Amino acid sequence: MKKLLTLVVAGLLGVGALPQLVHAETMNYTIKAEIPENQIDKAKTYFDLRMTPAQEEVINLTVSNTSNEELKLKVEPNTAVTNQNGVVDYSQKGAKKDSTLKYAFSDLIKGETDITLAPNETKELPYTIKMPAEKFDGIILGGFYVSKVNSEKEEAASKNVQIKNHYSYVVGAKLSETDTVVKPNLKLNDVKPALQNYRTGITANLQNTEATMMSELKVTTSVTKKGSQEVLHKTEKESMSMAPNSNFDFPISWDNQPLKAGKYELTVVANDKDQSWKFTKEFEIKGEESAKLNKEAVEVEKDSTWIYYLIAGLVAALIALLLIIIVAKRKKGGNKDEEEKD
């Protein structure tokens, strides 16, 4: 199986993780943000811009080919989302927009996406930001995801390679208009059975409904049968982050046990800095979907319950047979006594 290794170079922002440029020696190109006058903190190497409603501004990236061969790059301005690991992700082009997302970074940016550089050439790439006409509080978060486009020769050479190394850059961009503090708000949506890395479990869709980041999110979950207090499965994860107005499917392990049809209850306790939330939600695993997922799963513990039912059934049948024999013998003995009397 071919494996893809992606390098995304990231730094830290006060409100959460936001990528910044760091040079990687194994790469044959570099890229950096040209910091404009409306940068909030000019010490940062990513865009952190104070904007105004309807403002139009050109920002620039400088990209350099450090090799002696022609280089083709793909530059994708992507909206920040949250992946299933609870990490802010800038690499997903055309990701489905969250229902609460009003302004997507990718919709506000225009500029060249396919770049060709001659050997040792440096280019300045302009991108135009067009802000919404309506004033807003909070942040719009995204990033320029930059990756190399392999030549036909490189593609052919990598066909039989089991492990492929793919390196990329992300230059982050945070747009804001006011200093108004917007607090995150967490919401629990659907709960459903699923496979995570081909292992049984369920997912709980968590949603940050506000235009601000979560950067210290801790989530603890417990699953019980409906009407029972016994905890069947428990999952805890901390140090997660969530992009503004985004959602992700938080995975809850089933501990390699088969998914059994029935009604369950999920309890979620979440904390982010000084805020906390608690949710309780009923969900159902149906027989058809559990059978399908159990069949596709790996390392599932075999359910030996049927063996006990089989043994119990055989014992019951044996007892019934013995009772029939005993009753039949007694009846036969009674008939014989009556014949002797006659």
Side-chain angles (χ1 to χ4, degrees), residues 24-196:
E25 292 182 355
T26 54
M27 301 175 74
N28 57 0
Y29 66 96
T30 63
I31 186 166
K32 69 174 184 176
E34 298 298 333
I35 303 302
E37 287 300 315
N38 58 331
Q39 177 89 352
I40 294 175
D41 184 351
K42 289 183 170 58
K44 303 297 185 185
T45 56
Y46 51 80
F47 295 111
D48 183 10
L49 307 181
R50 177 52 50 91
M51 308 293 288
T52 57
Q55 179 182 349
E56 188 169 318
E57 179 180 357
V58 176
I59 58 175
N60 295 283
L61 297 173
T62 297
V63 60
S64 297
N65 179 5
T66 58
S67 73
N68 295 320
E69 298 180 355
E70 182 181 86
L71 178 67
K72 291 185 178 181
L73 299 175
K74 177 74 75 173
V75 181
E76 298 171 342
N78 296 331
T79 303
V81 297
T82 306
N83 66 28
Q84 67 175 12
N85 297 314
V87 175
V88 177
D89 189 346
Y90 302 83
S91 67
Q92 297 186 29
K93 181 182 179 181
K96 184 179 178 181
K97 295 178 183 178
D98 185 88
S99 60
T100 65
L101 182 63
K102 198 170 183 180
Y103 306 118
F105 177 77
S106 57
D107 293 340
L108 307 179
I109 303 292
K110 289 185 179 180
E112 191 175 0
T113 58
D114 297 300
I115 311 300
T116 300
L117 295 172
N120 300 300
E121 182 184 11
T122 295
K123 275 186 179 180
E124 193 168 89
L125 310 176
Y127 293 90
T128 301
I129 303 175
K130 175 66 175 178
M131 293 296 287
E134 182 183 357
K135 183 180 178 181
F136 74 93
D137 295 323
I139 63 173
I140 297 172
L141 191 62
F144 295 89
Y145 182 76
V146 185
S147 58
K148 180 184 174 184
V149 178
N150 287 334
S151 65
E152 292 182 4
K153 181 180 178 181
E154 289 171 323
E155 285 293 333
S158 67
K159 278 186 177 179
N160 297 322
V161 178
Q162 293 298 310
I163 298 179
K164 294 182 179 181
N165 295 300
H166 178 71
Y167 298 100
S168 60
Y169 275 127
V170 174
V171 178
K174 180 170 75 75
L175 312 177
S176 63
E177 293 181 352
T178 71
D179 290 324
T180 302
V181 176
V182 176
K183 289 191 174 183
N185 181 56
L186 195 67
K187 181 181 177 184
L188 172 63
N189 296 316
D190 294 337
V191 179
K192 59 185 179 182
L195 295 182
Q196 296 292 331

Side-chain angles (χ1 to χ4, degrees), residues 298-319:
V298 297
E299 297 184 11
V300 176
E301 294 179 5
K302 300 298 181 183
D303 185 2
S304 57
T305 307
W306 66 274
I307 296 177
Y308 298 109
Y309 285 122
L310 178 61
I311 293 173
L314 291 173
V315 170
L318 182 60
I319 293 173

Side-chain angles (χ1 to χ4, degrees), residues 275-286:
Q275 287 185 272
S276 62
W277 301 267
K278 184 175 181 179
F279 309 102
T280 301
K281 193 176 185 71
E282 292 181 6
F283 66 98
E284 183 178 5
I285 298 178
K286 297 182 179 179

